[in-house]
Amino acid sequence: MQQTMENFTVTIVGGTGNLGGALALRLGAPGVKIIIGSRDAEKAKKAVETLKAKLRAGEVVGTTNQQAVKDADFVVIAVPYEGHAQMVSDLKGQLAGKVVIDTVVPLKGVKPFVPPAGSALQEAQQILGEEAPVIGALHNISAVDLGDVDSSLGDVLVCGDNAEAKQKVIEIVQHIGATAYDGGPATNAYVIEGLTGVIIYLNRKYKSKHGSIKITGIGGH
Ligand SMILES: NC(=O)c1ccc[n+]([C@@H]2O[C@H](COP(=O)([O-])OP(=O)(O)OC[C@H]3O[C@@H](n4cnc5c(N)ncnc54)[C@H](OP(=O)(O)O)[C@@H]3O)[C@@H](O)[C@H]2O)c1
């Protein structure tokens, strides 16, 4: 069966959190099945009850991260950087045939840093090896805007080394109402991840919760 927006499943690892919950609301288009993953199945189920009250359409269920990735076509990693490497390691062996979407920004407090692998994306790809392509996306979008399905979104830079997987993620990002750009290979990820640190600074400085990025001067969108 050809994969369309109507027949795929997205698991959000750490889906009980700010970004994951907000993404679930955006993805809730007819037919898209969302699985909220958590380290605690009960916490996932509670998060689903909250989300269901706000979800305009779509189907959402909740379970452990381990269980949640089994039925997924796309696995979004939405946990803080502190838990990133361990979480990806824990899921290794269950991600074959899936596309991993990494949203994680390496931060110490609110300050961005470059991890030893070069970026969170490259760290995940090193852990997973050939098992699954890792594509970076959504780093520069605020969870506040993502969760308000009527608000407009900034642009999304999608990066990674697997062109086919990257194109699929670009389509998903467009599906949630953002303009997606091919942001280049995995070696660009540290810039895109780190930019979030600048956005956090801007939000604080100018007392906003909506900071994002807008690409100008590029045609074809
Ligand atoms: N919030 C934003 O606006 C935003 C925007 C762009 C990118 N991001 C990135 O998206 C990721 C998630 O951000 P967030 O704000 O949603 O984070 P969050 O709410 O603090 O955490 C998300 C979820 O991750 C799980 N978690 C927490 N600590 C963990 C650990 N040590 N190991 C494994 N799982 C852990 C928790 O779920 P359980 O307790 O249910 O397991 C939590 O609900 C971050 O890496 C962040 O940099 C966030």
Side-chain angles (χ1 to χ4, degrees):
M1 184 165 54
Q2 199 200 347
Q3 206 168 56
T4 67
M5 293 293 167
E6 284 71 38
N7 63 17
F8 67 62
T9 300
V10 179
T11 282
I12 307 175
V13 171
T16 55
N18 297 317
L19 189 75
L23 179 61
L25 295 177
R26 284 276 176 172
L27 279 170
V32 177
K33 187 174 172 195
I34 302 148
I35 309 178
I36 297 294
S38 168
R39 292 168 294 178
D40 173 353
E42 282 311 308
K43 187 175 171 186
K45 289 192 174 80
K46 275 189 196 150
V48 164
E49 289 317 308
T50 308
L51 284 171
K52 272 185 177 165
K54 298 182 195 164
L55 201 67
R56 291 202 179 150
E59 190 186 331
V60 60
V61 294
T63 183
T64 60
N65 290 317
Q66 300 287 338
Q67 191 64 32
V69 298
K70 285 187 182 157
D71 293 328
D73 302 296
F74 296 87
V75 174
V76 179
I77 307 290
V79 301
Y81 180 75
E82 301 82 74
H84 175 255
Q86 187 62 51
M87 182 55 67
V88 176
S89 300
D90 289 349
L91 298 175
K92 186 175 170 150
Q94 298 162 68
L95 296 170
K98 307 172 195 303
V99 173
V100 175
I101 304 174
D102 203 318
T103 68
V104 174
V105 177
L107 292 171
K108 282 190 182 113
V110 293
K111 292 188 180 158
F113 68 96
V114 179
S119 61
L121 185 163
Q122 288 164 298
E123 180 176 88
Q125 193 69 76
Q126 274 181 15
I127 294 166
L128 294 177
E130 296 291 311
E131 179 171 321
V134 183
I135 304 297
L138 300 170
H139 307 94
N140 310 137
I141 289 271
S142 113
V144 172
D145 290 342
L146 203 54
D148 176 1
V149 294
D150 293 320
S151 78
S152 61
L153 294 173
D155 292 341
V156 175
L157 296 170
V158 182
C159 62
D161 289 338
N162 183 308
E164 194 186 336
K166 188 160 53 174
Q167 184 53 37
K168 285 181 184 169
V169 176
I170 286 172
E171 284 165 24
I172 291 179
V173 171
Q174 284 167 340
H175 177 70
I176 65 168
T179 302
Y181 290 86
D182 179 347
T187 47
N188 281 357
Y190 81 99
V191 180
I192 299 168
E193 292 172 7
L195 199 48
T196 304
V198 180
I199 294 170
I200 291 170
Y201 176 84
L202 291 170
N203 276 336
R204 290 186 156 207
K205 170 95 183 167
Y206 297 101
K207 300 189 180 9
S208 174
K209 292 181 177 170
H210 309 283
S212 188
I213 61 160
K214 199 82 199 154
I215 303 296
T216 62
I218 306 290
H221 274 76

